[in-house]
Amino acid sequence: FVKKIVAVSEHTKNDLMKYQKISENKILVIPNGIDLGETENIDKENKKRELGISNGAHIIGLGVRLEEQKGIKYLIRAMPCILKNVPGTVCLVAGEGSKRKDLENEALKLGISDSVIFIGVRRDMMEIVQVMDVYVLPSIWEGLPLVILEAMAMKKPIVATAVGGTPTAIKDGETGKLVVPENEAALSEAIIMLLRDKKRARQL
């Protein structure tokens, strides 16, 4: 009965038309945007110490709801291969959700609990993103995730799955790396490449 429905991406619009049978002329696409405000550069060494991470460690990670949608288990499953190729890598997982215990158990089962750090809900995510070498979003489905836009605004190289509206923000090989969802091998390959090739990471 509403006059307009706002979709955050063309992909979301198409889903609304396909699954909810909403008329195209009722849908307006306004892509997600962010307001960073005054974002200051931080003392990265101090931030790492605060998070309990040694200064020489490679840091990957994300800040999301810990739910099935975000595909975090595939990132955790990618970690053994990442650690084998880039020793000393740490994966920061910020956020809370119904899957936290399952994810902690997955890391424990793989013997990588020391390398996967769960830090809960944070109010300083923009500072935490600054210490990351690669931001990773392994979602199974999405609209247009704000965290991707925030990481891009912080000039961080991104590895994300090519789902939903993510490819409208990230052009594979130009502004980040896109991989297929639910595939830890593809994730690890892209992450390892960016951790090893600092010049390429800076370009992205």
Side-chain angles (χ1 to χ4, degrees):
F1 299 103
V2 300
K3 290 182 179 179
K4 285 290 178 186
I5 292 175
V6 176
V8 299
S9 68
E10 287 292 337
H11 183 274
T12 305
K13 172 186 171 181
N14 292 334
D15 276 355
L16 288 169
M17 292 165 58
K18 181 178 180 180
Y19 298 111
Q20 305 299 328
K21 310 303 180 189
I22 295 168
S23 170
E24 182 175 10
N25 62 15
K26 273 197 170 186
I27 304 172
L28 177 66
V29 176
I30 303 178
N32 269 339
I34 56 168
D35 179 6
L36 288 176
E38 293 297 322
T39 304
E40 297 181 4
N41 289 326
I42 60 161
D43 185 326
K44 294 180 182 178
E45 290 186 19
N46 279 342
K47 200 67 183 179
K48 289 177 185 178
R49 279 195 294 272
E50 179 192 321
L51 294 165
I53 300 171
S54 66
N55 196 40
H58 299 279
I59 303 173
I60 65 174
L62 72 172
V64 294
R65 291 176 293 107
L66 307 189
E67 302 296 345
E68 189 70 24
Q69 172 196 356
K70 300 302 179 181
I72 306 162
K73 65 183 177 184
Y74 299 103
L75 175 56
I76 291 174
R77 290 173 186 173
M79 278 298 289
C81 183
I82 294 168
L83 287 165
K84 181 180 177 182
N85 287 274
V86 190
T89 299
V90 170
C91 180
L92 279 177
V93 181
E96 286 292 350
S98 66
K99 295 296 180 183
R100 174 163 179 165
K101 193 65 181 175
D102 291 344
L103 294 169
E104 289 175 333
N105 288 339
E106 186 83 24
L108 185 64
K109 183 177 72 176
L110 293 169
I112 56 170
S113 292
D114 290 345
S115 300
V116 181
I117 304 175
F118 292 86
I119 58 175
V121 175
R122 302 288 299 213
R123 302 300 175 201
D124 57 347
M125 268 313 297
M126 300 311 288
E127 295 182 4
I128 289 170
V129 170
Q130 286 189 51
V131 304
M132 292 181 183
D133 296 294
V134 180
Y135 193 96
V136 186
L137 187 66
S139 300
I140 301 169
W141 73 90
E142 280 291 356
L144 178 54
L146 291 171
V147 291
I148 286 292
L149 306 181
E150 290 167 350
M152 294 176 79
M154 301 301 291
K155 301 180 181 179
K156 292 297 171 179
I158 299 166
V159 174
T161 45
V163 296
T166 299
T168 65
I170 296 178
K171 304 302 179 190
D172 186 38
E174 294 181 25
T175 56
K177 288 294 296 178
L178 292 175
V179 299
V180 295
E182 301 178 83
N183 189 319
E184 56 261 34
L187 271 176
S188 61
E189 181 181 351
I191 293 166
I192 290 164
M193 183 272 288
L194 290 179
L195 289 177
R196 284 178 163 177
D197 190 343
K198 298 294 187 185
K199 181 180 178 182
R200 185 76 179 115
R202 281 194 299 274
Q203 289 172 339
L204 296 181

